Coordinates of all heavy atoms in Angstrom, one line a residue:
M1 N 96.9 178.4 145.0 CA 96.4 177.3 145.8 C 94.9 177.3 145.8 O 94.3 178.2 146.4 CB 96.9 177.5 147.3 CG 96.7 176.3 148.2 SD 97.5 174.8 147.6 CE 96.5 173.6 148.3
P2 N 94.3 176.3 145.2 CA 92.8 176.2 145.2 C 92.2 175.9 146.5 O 92.8 175.1 147.3 CB 92.5 175.1 144.1 CG 93.8 174.3 144.1 CD 94.9 175.2 144.6
T3 N 91.1 176.4 146.8 CA 90.4 176.0 148.0 C 89.8 174.6 147.9 O 89.5 174.1 146.8 CB 89.3 177.0 148.4 OG1 88.4 177.1 147.2 CG2 89.8 178.4 148.7
L4 N 89.6 174.0 149.0 CA 89.1 172.6 149.0 C 87.6 172.6 148.4 O 86.9 173.5 148.8 CB 89.1 172.0 150.4 CG 90.5 171.7 150.9 CD1 90.4 171.3 152.4 CD2 91.1 170.5 150.1
P5 N 87.3 171.7 147.6 CA 85.9 171.7 147.0 C 84.9 171.4 148.1 O 85.2 170.6 149.0 CB 86.0 170.5 146.0 CG 87.2 169.7 146.4 CD 88.1 170.6 147.1
D6 N 83.7 172.0 148.0 CA 82.7 171.8 149.0 C 82.0 170.5 148.6 O 80.9 170.5 148.0 CB 81.7 173.0 149.0 CG 80.7 172.9 150.1 OD1 81.0 172.0 151.0 OD2 79.8 173.6 150.1
S7 N 82.6 169.4 149.0 CA 82.0 168.1 148.6 C 81.1 167.5 149.7 O 81.2 167.9 150.9 CB 83.2 167.1 148.4 OG 82.7 165.8 148.3
S8 N 80.2 166.6 149.3 CA 79.3 166.0 150.3 C 80.1 164.9 151.1 O 79.7 164.5 152.1 CB 78.1 165.4 149.6 OG 78.6 164.5 148.6
D9 N 81.2 164.5 150.5 CA 82.1 163.5 151.2 C 83.5 164.1 151.4 O 84.3 164.0 150.6 CB 82.1 162.3 150.4 CG 82.9 161.2 151.2 OD1 83.3 161.4 152.3 OD2 83.0 160.0 150.7
P10 N 83.6 164.8 152.5 CA 84.9 165.6 152.8 C 86.1 164.7 152.8 O 87.2 165.1 152.5 CB 84.7 166.2 154.2 CG 83.3 166.0 154.5 CD 82.7 164.9 153.6
S11 N 85.9 163.4 153.2 CA 87.1 162.5 153.3 C 87.7 162.3 152.0 O 88.9 161.9 151.9 CB 86.6 161.2 154.0 OG 85.7 160.5 153.1
K12 N 86.9 162.4 150.9 CA 87.5 162.2 149.6 C 88.2 163.4 149.0 O 89.0 163.3 148.1 CB 86.4 161.7 148.6 CG 86.0 160.2 148.9 CD 85.1 159.6 147.9 CE 84.8 158.2 148.2 NZ 83.7 157.7 147.5
S13 N 87.8 164.6 149.4 CA 88.4 165.8 148.9 C 89.6 166.2 149.7 O 90.2 167.2 149.4 CB 87.4 166.9 148.8 OG 87.0 167.2 150.2
F14 N 89.8 165.5 150.8 CA 90.9 165.9 151.7 C 92.1 165.0 151.6 O 92.0 163.8 151.9 CB 90.3 165.8 153.2 CG 91.1 166.6 154.2 CD1 90.7 167.9 154.5 CD2 92.2 166.1 154.7 CE1 91.5 168.6 155.5 CE2 93.0 166.8 155.7 CZ 92.6 168.1 156.0
N15 N 93.2 165.5 151.1 CA 94.4 164.7 151.0 C 95.1 164.7 152.3 O 95.8 165.7 152.7 CB 95.2 165.2 149.9 CG 96.4 164.3 149.6 OD1 97.0 163.7 150.5 ND2 96.7 164.2 148.3
C16 N 95.0 163.6 153.1 CA 95.5 163.6 154.4 C 97.0 163.9 154.5 O 97.5 164.7 155.2 CB 95.3 162.2 155.0 SG 93.6 161.9 155.5
R17 N 97.8 163.1 153.7 CA 99.2 163.2 153.7 C 99.7 164.6 153.3 O 100.6 165.2 153.9 CB 99.9 162.1 152.8 CG 100.1 160.8 153.5 CD 100.9 159.9 152.7 NE 102.3 160.3 152.6 CZ 103.2 160.1 153.6 NH1 102.9 159.3 154.6 NH2 104.4 160.5 153.5
E18 N 99.1 165.1 152.3 CA 99.5 166.4 151.7 C 99.2 167.5 152.8 O 100.1 168.3 153.0 CB 98.6 166.7 150.5 CG 99.3 167.6 149.5 CD 98.5 167.6 148.2 OE1 97.7 168.5 148.1 OE2 98.8 166.8 147.3
M19 N 98.0 167.4 153.4 CA 97.7 168.4 154.4 C 98.6 168.3 155.6 O 99.1 169.3 156.1 CB 96.2 168.3 154.8 CG 95.7 169.4 155.7 SD 95.9 171.0 155.0 CE 94.5 171.0 153.8
L20 N 98.8 167.1 156.1 CA 99.7 166.9 157.2 C 101.1 167.5 157.0 O 101.6 168.1 157.9 CB 99.8 165.4 157.6 CG 100.6 165.0 158.8 CD1 100.2 165.7 160.0 CD2 100.7 163.5 158.9
Q21 N 101.6 167.2 155.8 CA 102.9 167.7 155.4 C 102.9 169.3 155.5 O 103.9 169.9 155.9 CB 103.3 167.2 154.1 CG 104.8 167.2 153.9 CD 105.6 166.5 154.9 OE1 105.3 165.3 155.2 NE2 106.5 167.1 155.6
K22 N 101.9 169.9 154.9 CA 101.8 171.3 154.9 C 101.8 171.9 156.3 O 102.5 172.9 156.7 CB 100.5 171.8 154.2 CG 100.6 172.0 152.8 CD 99.3 172.6 152.2 CE 99.2 172.4 150.7 NZ 100.1 173.3 150.0
I23 N 101.0 171.3 157.2 CA 100.9 171.7 158.6 C 102.3 171.6 159.2 O 102.8 172.6 159.9 CB 99.9 170.8 159.4 CG1 98.5 170.9 158.8 CG2 99.9 171.2 160.9 CD1 97.8 172.1 159.1
L24 N 103.0 170.5 159.0 CA 104.2 170.3 159.7 C 105.3 171.2 159.1 O 106.2 171.6 159.8 CB 104.6 168.8 159.5 CG 103.7 167.8 160.3 CD1 104.0 166.4 159.9 CD2 103.9 168.0 161.8
D25 N 105.2 171.5 157.9 CA 106.2 172.4 157.2 C 105.9 173.9 157.5 O 106.6 174.8 157.2 CB 106.2 172.2 155.7 CG 106.8 170.9 155.3 OD1 107.5 170.3 156.2 OD2 106.7 170.5 154.2
G26 N 104.7 174.1 158.2 CA 104.3 175.5 158.5 C 103.9 176.2 157.3 O 103.9 177.4 157.2
E27 N 103.4 175.5 156.2 CA 103.0 176.1 155.0 C 101.5 176.3 154.9 O 101.0 176.9 154.0 CB 103.5 175.3 153.8 CG 105.0 175.4 153.6 CD 105.4 174.4 152.5 OE1 104.6 173.7 151.9 OE2 106.6 174.4 152.2
A28 N 100.8 175.7 155.9 CA 99.3 175.7 155.8 C 98.8 177.1 156.3 O 99.4 177.8 157.1 CB 98.7 174.7 156.8
T29 N 97.7 177.6 155.7 CA 97.1 178.8 156.1 C 96.4 178.6 157.4 O 96.2 177.4 157.8 CB 96.1 179.3 155.0 OG1 95.1 178.3 154.9 CG2 96.8 179.4 153.7
T30 N 96.0 179.7 158.0 CA 95.2 179.6 159.3 C 94.0 178.8 159.0 O 93.6 177.9 159.9 CB 94.9 181.0 159.8 OG1 96.1 181.7 159.9 CG2 94.3 180.9 161.2
E31 N 93.3 179.0 157.9 CA 92.1 178.3 157.6 C 92.4 176.8 157.4 O 91.6 175.9 157.9 CB 91.5 178.8 156.2 CG 90.1 178.4 156.0 CD 89.6 179.0 154.6 OE1 90.0 178.4 153.6 OE2 88.9 180.0 154.7
Q32 N 93.5 176.5 156.8 CA 93.8 175.0 156.6 C 94.2 174.4 157.9 O 93.8 173.2 158.1 CB 95.0 174.9 155.6 CG 94.6 175.2 154.2 CD 95.8 175.2 153.3 OE1 96.9 175.7 153.6 NE2 95.7 174.7 152.1
Q33 N 94.8 175.2 158.8 CA 95.1 174.6 160.1 C 93.8 174.3 160.9 O 93.7 173.3 161.6 CB 96.0 175.6 160.9 CG 97.4 175.7 160.4 CD 98.2 176.8 161.1 OE1 97.9 177.1 162.3 NE2 99.2 177.3 160.5
Q34 N 92.8 175.2 160.7 CA 91.5 174.9 161.4 C 90.9 173.7 160.8 O 90.4 172.8 161.5 CB 90.6 176.1 161.2 CG 91.0 177.3 162.0 CD 90.9 177.1 163.5 OE1 90.2 176.3 164.0 NE2 91.7 177.8 164.3
Q35 N 90.9 173.6 159.5 CA 90.3 172.4 158.8 C 91.0 171.1 159.3 O 90.3 170.1 159.5 CB 90.5 172.6 157.3 CG 89.5 173.5 156.7 CD 89.6 173.5 155.2 OE1 90.8 173.4 154.7 NE2 88.6 173.7 154.4
F36 N 92.3 171.2 159.4 CA 93.0 170.0 159.8 C 92.7 169.6 161.2 O 92.6 168.4 161.5 CB 94.5 170.3 159.6 CG 95.4 169.0 159.9 CD1 95.4 168.0 158.9 CD2 96.1 168.9 161.0 CE1 96.1 166.9 159.1 CE2 96.8 167.7 161.3 CZ 96.8 166.7 160.3
K37 N 92.6 170.6 162.1 CA 92.3 170.3 163.5 C 90.9 169.5 163.6 O 90.8 168.6 164.3 CB 92.2 171.6 164.3 CG 93.5 172.0 164.9 CD 93.3 173.2 165.8 CE 94.6 173.7 166.2 NZ 94.5 175.0 167.0
I38 N 90.0 170.0 162.8 CA 88.6 169.4 162.8 C 88.8 167.9 162.2 O 88.2 167.0 162.7 CB 87.6 170.2 161.9 CG1 87.4 171.5 162.6 CG2 86.3 169.4 161.8 CD1 86.7 172.5 161.7
H39 N 89.5 167.9 161.1 CA 89.7 166.6 160.4 C 90.4 165.6 161.3 O 90.1 164.4 161.4 CB 90.5 166.8 159.1 CG 91.0 165.5 158.5 ND1 90.1 164.7 157.7 CD2 92.2 164.9 158.5 CE1 90.8 163.7 157.3 NE2 92.0 163.8 157.8
M40 N 91.4 166.1 162.0 CA 92.3 165.2 162.8 C 91.5 164.5 163.9 O 91.8 163.4 164.4 CB 93.4 166.1 163.5 CG 94.6 165.3 164.0 SD 96.0 166.4 164.3 CE 95.3 167.6 165.4
A41 N 90.4 165.2 164.4 CA 89.6 164.6 165.5 C 88.9 163.4 165.0 O 88.5 162.6 165.8 CB 88.6 165.7 165.9
E42 N 88.7 163.3 163.7 CA 88.0 162.1 163.1 C 88.9 161.2 162.4 O 88.4 160.1 161.9 CB 86.9 162.6 162.2 CG 85.9 163.5 162.9 CD 84.9 164.1 161.9 OE1 85.3 164.2 160.7 OE2 83.8 164.5 162.3
C43 N 90.1 161.6 162.2 CA 91.0 160.7 161.3 C 92.3 160.3 162.2 O 93.1 161.1 162.4 CB 91.5 161.6 160.1 SG 92.5 160.6 159.0
M44 N 92.2 159.1 162.6 CA 93.3 158.6 163.5 C 94.7 158.6 162.8 O 95.6 159.0 163.5 CB 93.0 157.2 163.9 CG 93.8 156.6 165.1 SD 94.0 157.8 166.5 CE 92.3 157.6 167.2
P45 N 94.9 158.2 161.6 CA 96.2 158.3 160.9 C 96.7 159.8 161.0 O 97.9 159.9 161.2 CB 96.0 157.9 159.5 CG 94.8 157.0 159.6 CD 93.9 157.6 160.6
C46 N 95.9 160.8 160.7 CA 96.4 162.1 160.8 C 96.8 162.5 162.2 O 97.8 163.2 162.4 CB 95.3 163.1 160.3 SG 95.2 163.1 158.5
Y47 N 95.9 162.2 163.1 CA 96.2 162.5 164.5 C 97.5 161.9 165.0 O 98.4 162.5 165.5 CB 95.0 162.0 165.4 CG 95.2 162.2 166.9 CD1 95.0 163.5 167.4 CD2 95.6 161.2 167.7 CE1 95.2 163.7 168.7 CE2 95.8 161.4 169.1 CZ 95.6 162.7 169.6 OH 95.8 162.9 170.9
K48 N 97.6 160.6 164.7 CA 98.9 159.9 165.1 C 100.1 160.4 164.4 O 101.1 160.7 165.0 CB 98.7 158.4 164.8 CG 97.7 157.7 165.6 CD 98.4 157.0 166.8 CE 97.4 156.1 167.5 NZ 97.9 155.6 168.8
G49 N 99.9 160.7 163.1 CA 101.0 161.2 162.3 C 101.5 162.6 162.9 O 102.7 162.8 163.0
Y50 N 100.5 163.4 163.2 CA 100.8 164.7 163.7 C 101.5 164.6 165.1 O 102.5 165.3 165.3 CB 99.5 165.5 163.9 CG 99.7 166.9 164.4 CD1 100.1 167.9 163.6 CD2 99.4 167.2 165.7 CE1 100.3 169.2 164.1 CE2 99.6 168.5 166.2 CZ 100.0 169.5 165.4 OH 100.1 170.7 165.9
E51 N 101.0 163.8 166.0 CA 101.6 163.6 167.3 C 103.0 163.1 167.2 O 103.9 163.6 167.9 CB 100.7 162.6 168.1 CG 99.4 163.1 168.5 CD 99.4 163.9 169.7 OE1 99.7 163.4 170.8 OE2 99.2 165.1 169.6
L52 N 103.2 162.1 166.3 CA 104.5 161.5 166.2 C 105.5 162.5 165.6 O 106.7 162.6 166.0 CB 104.5 160.3 165.3 CG 103.8 159.1 166.0 CD1 103.5 158.0 165.0 CD2 104.7 158.5 167.1
E53 N 105.1 163.3 164.6 CA 106.0 164.3 164.0 C 106.4 165.3 165.0 O 107.5 165.8 165.0 CB 105.3 164.9 162.8 CG 105.2 164.0 161.5 CD 106.6 163.9 160.8 OE1 107.5 164.7 161.2 OE2 106.7 163.2 159.9
M54 N 105.4 165.7 165.8 CA 105.7 166.7 166.8 C 106.7 166.1 167.9 O 107.6 166.8 168.3 CB 104.4 167.1 167.6 CG 103.6 168.1 166.7 SD 104.5 169.6 166.5 CE 103.7 170.2 165.0
A55 N 106.5 164.8 168.2 CA 107.4 164.2 169.1 C 108.8 164.2 168.6 O 109.8 164.4 169.3 CB 107.0 162.7 169.4
I56 N 109.0 163.9 167.3 CA 110.3 163.9 166.6 C 110.9 165.3 166.7 O 112.1 165.5 167.0 CB 110.2 163.5 165.2 CG1 109.9 162.0 165.1 CG2 111.5 163.8 164.4 CD1 109.8 161.4 163.8
K57 N 110.1 166.3 166.4 CA 110.5 167.7 166.4 C 111.1 168.1 167.8 O 112.1 168.7 168.0 CB 109.4 168.7 166.0 CG 109.3 168.7 164.5 CD 108.4 169.9 164.1 CE 108.3 169.9 162.6 NZ 107.6 171.1 162.0
M58 N 110.3 167.6 168.8 CA 110.7 167.9 170.2 C 112.1 167.2 170.5 O 112.9 167.8 171.1 CB 109.7 167.4 171.2 CG 108.3 168.0 171.0 SD 108.1 169.5 172.1 CE 107.8 168.7 173.7
L59 N 112.2 166.0 170.0 CA 113.4 165.3 170.3 C 114.6 166.0 169.6 O 115.7 166.1 170.2 CB 113.3 163.8 169.8 CG 112.5 162.9 170.6 CD1 112.3 161.6 169.9 CD2 113.1 162.6 171.9
L60 N 114.4 166.4 168.4 CA 115.4 167.0 167.6 C 115.8 168.4 168.3 O 117.0 168.7 168.3 CB 115.0 167.3 166.2 CG 114.9 166.0 165.4 CD1 114.3 166.3 164.0 CD2 116.2 165.2 165.3
Q61 N 114.8 169.1 168.8 CA 115.1 170.3 169.4 C 115.9 170.1 170.7 O 116.9 170.8 171.0 CB 113.8 171.0 169.8 CG 113.2 171.9 168.7 CD 111.9 172.5 169.0 OE1 111.4 172.4 170.1 NE2 111.3 173.0 168.0
K62 N 115.6 169.0 171.4 CA 116.3 168.7 172.6 C 117.8 168.4 172.3 O 118.7 168.8 172.9 CB 115.7 167.5 173.3 CG 114.6 167.8 174.2 CD 114.1 166.6 175.1 CE 113.0 167.0 175.9 NZ 112.5 165.8 176.6
K63 N 117.9 167.7 171.1 CA 119.2 167.3 170.7 C 120.0 168.6 170.4 O 121.2 168.7 170.7 CB 119.1 166.5 169.4 CG 120.5 165.8 169.0 CD 120.3 164.8 167.9 CE 121.6 164.1 167.7 NZ 121.4 162.9 166.9
C64 N 119.4 169.6 169.8 CA 120.0 170.8 169.4 C 120.5 171.6 170.7 O 121.5 172.3 170.7 CB 119.1 171.7 168.6 SG 118.9 171.1 166.9
N65 N 119.7 171.4 171.8 CA 120.0 172.1 173.0 C 121.1 171.4 173.8 O 121.5 171.8 174.9 CB 118.8 172.2 173.9 CG 117.8 173.2 173.3 OD1 118.1 174.0 172.5 ND2 116.5 173.0 173.7
G66 N 121.6 170.2 173.2 CA 122.7 169.5 173.9 C 122.3 168.4 174.8 O 123.1 167.7 175.3
N67 N 121.0 168.2 174.9 CA 120.6 167.1 175.8 C 120.7 165.7 175.1 O 121.0 164.7 175.7 CB 119.1 167.2 176.2 CG 118.9 168.4 177.1 OD1 119.8 168.7 177.9 ND2 117.8 169.0 177.1
G68 N 120.6 165.7 173.8 CA 120.8 164.5 173.0 C 119.6 163.6 173.0 O 119.0 163.2 174.0
A69 N 119.1 163.3 171.8 CA 118.0 162.3 171.6 C 118.6 161.0 171.0 O 119.3 161.1 170.1 CB 116.9 162.9 170.7
P70 N 118.3 159.9 171.6 CA 118.8 158.6 171.1 C 118.4 158.4 169.7 O 117.2 158.4 169.5 CB 118.2 157.6 172.1 CG 117.7 158.3 173.2 CD 117.4 159.7 172.8
P71 N 119.3 158.2 168.8 CA 119.0 157.9 167.4 C 118.0 156.8 167.2 O 117.2 156.8 166.3 CB 120.3 157.6 166.7 CG 121.3 158.2 167.6 CD 120.8 158.1 169.0
D72 N 118.2 155.7 168.1 CA 117.3 154.6 167.9 C 115.9 154.9 168.3 O 114.9 154.4 167.7 CB 117.8 153.4 168.8 CG 117.9 153.7 170.2 OD1 118.1 154.9 170.5 OD2 117.8 152.8 171.1
L73 N 115.7 155.9 169.2 CA 114.4 156.3 169.6 C 113.7 157.1 168.4 O 112.5 156.9 168.1 CB 114.4 157.2 170.8 CG 113.1 157.8 171.3 CD1 112.1 156.6 171.6 CD2 113.3 158.6 172.5
I74 N 114.5 157.9 167.7 CA 114.0 158.6 166.6 C 113.6 157.6 165.5 O 112.5 157.8 164.8 CB 115.0 159.6 166.0 CG1 115.3 160.7 167.1 CG2 114.6 160.3 164.7 CD1 116.4 161.7 166.7
E75 N 114.4 156.6 165.3 CA 114.1 155.6 164.3 C 112.8 154.9 164.6 O 112.0 154.6 163.7 CB 115.3 154.6 164.2 CG 116.5 155.1 163.3 CD 116.0 155.5 161.9 OE1 115.3 154.6 161.3 OE2 116.4 156.5 161.5
K76 N 112.7 154.6 165.9 CA 111.5 153.9 166.3 C 110.2 154.7 166.0 O 109.3 154.1 165.5 CB 111.6 153.7 167.8 CG 110.7 152.6 168.4 CD 111.0 152.4 169.9 CE 109.8 151.8 170.6 NZ 110.0 151.8 172.1
I77 N 110.3 156.0 166.3 CA 109.1 156.8 166.0 C 108.9 156.9 164.5 O 107.8 156.9 164.0 CB 109.4 158.2 166.6 CG1 109.4 158.1 168.1 CG2 108.3 159.2 166.2 CD1 109.8 159.4 168.8
K78 N 110.0 157.0 163.7 CA 109.8 157.1 162.3 C 109.2 155.8 161.7 O 108.4 155.9 160.8 CB 111.2 157.3 161.6 CG 111.6 158.8 161.7 CD 112.9 159.0 160.9 CE 113.3 160.5 161.0 NZ 114.6 160.7 160.4
N79 N 109.6 154.7 162.3 CA 109.0 153.4 161.9 C 107.5 153.4 162.1 O 106.7 152.9 161.3 CB 109.6 152.2 162.6 CG 111.0 151.9 162.0 OD1 111.3 152.3 160.9 ND2 111.9 151.3 162.8
Q80 N 107.1 154.0 163.3 CA 105.7 154.0 163.6 C 104.9 154.9 162.6 O 103.8 154.5 162.2 CB 105.5 154.6 165.0 CG 105.9 153.6 166.1 CD 105.6 154.2 167.5 OE1 104.7 154.9 167.7 NE2 106.6 154.0 168.4
I81 N 105.5 156.0 162.2 CA 104.9 156.8 161.2 C 104.7 156.1 159.9 O 103.7 156.2 159.3 CB 105.7 158.1 161.0 CG1 105.7 159.0 162.3 CG2 105.2 158.9 159.8 CD1 106.6 160.2 162.2
S82 N 105.7 155.4 159.5 CA 105.7 154.7 158.2 C 104.6 153.6 158.2 O 104.0 153.3 157.2 CB 107.0 154.1 157.8 OG 107.5 153.2 158.7
Q83 N 104.3 153.1 159.4 CA 103.3 152.1 159.5 C 101.9 152.6 159.4 O 101.0 152.0 158.8 CB 103.4 151.4 160.9 CG 104.5 150.3 160.9 CD 104.7 149.8 162.3 OE1 103.9 149.8 163.2 NE2 105.9 149.2 162.6
I84 N 101.7 153.8 159.9 CA 100.3 154.4 159.9 C 100.1 155.2 158.7 O 99.0 155.5 158.3 CB 100.0 155.2 161.2 CG1 101.1 156.3 161.3 CG2 100.0 154.4 162.4 CD1 100.7 157.4 162.3
T85 N 101.2 155.6 158.0 CA 101.0 156.4 156.7 C 101.7 155.7 155.6 O 102.8 156.0 155.2 CB 101.5 157.8 156.9 OG1 102.9 157.7 157.3 CG2 100.7 158.6 157.9
P86 N 101.1 154.6 155.1 CA 101.7 153.8 154.0 C 102.0 154.6 152.8 O 101.2 155.5 152.4 CB 100.7 152.7 153.7 CG 99.4 153.3 154.3 CD 99.7 154.2 155.4
H87 N 103.1 154.3 152.1 CA 103.5 155.1 150.9 C 102.8 154.5 149.7 O 102.8 153.3 149.6 CB 105.0 155.1 150.8 CG 105.7 155.8 151.9 ND1 105.7 157.1 152.0 CD2 106.3 155.3 153.0 CE1 106.4 157.4 153.1 NE2 106.7 156.3 153.8
Ligands
ZN1 ZN1 93.3 162.3 157.6

């Protein structure tokens, strides 16, 4: 895993989607988590994406505990994510 290049324009060397996925999968290093936190403060799509993914995880956890998360609510959140992180 190469370290991020020390660029004068960090926004270009930083792959938002890739990093967000790593964070959410728990594959990011502590250093990467720190970088992402700093980045997230300035990058609304990352911030929103992170918040929404966490909301989904919470819902799924609740479902596992037997409380049940409405599937339409999960779909709604997923739709929001696809809107802010275009493929
Ligand atoms: Zn970003």
Side-chain angles (χ1 to χ4, degrees):
M1 190 63 207
T3 52
L4 290 170
D6 190 12
S7 169
S8 56
D9 187 357
S11 65
K12 284 189 178 165
S13 64
F14 198 98
N15 189 323
C16 287
R17 275 192 70 83
E18 210 171 90
M19 187 59 77
L20 179 59
Q21 201 57 54
K22 269 185 197 291
I23 299 284
L24 294 170
D25 289 346
E27 290 174 358
T29 64
T30 307
E31 193 179 80
Q32 285 173 324
Q33 287 177 24
Q34 288 295 334
Q35 280 182 328
F36 186 75
K37 272 187 189 174
I38 295 167
H39 169 79
M40 197 164 58
E42 299 173 337
C43 183
M44 192 52 71
C46 281
Y47 178 76
K48 291 266 187 188
Y50 180 79
E51 291 278 292
L52 287 167
E53 286 283 354
M54 283 298 158
I56 287 178
K57 281 193 179 187
M58 297 269 282
L59 285 172
L60 292 177
Q61 274 175 9
K62 275 189 183 175
K63 190 169 186 166
C64 287
N65 290 339
N67 292 331
D72 58 333
L73 181 56
I74 295 175
E75 279 304 311
K76 197 174 156 188
I77 295 173
K78 282 186 177 172
N79 284 339
Q80 288 182 40
I81 292 175
S82 60
Q83 278 170 25
I84 58 167
T85 55
H87 298 282

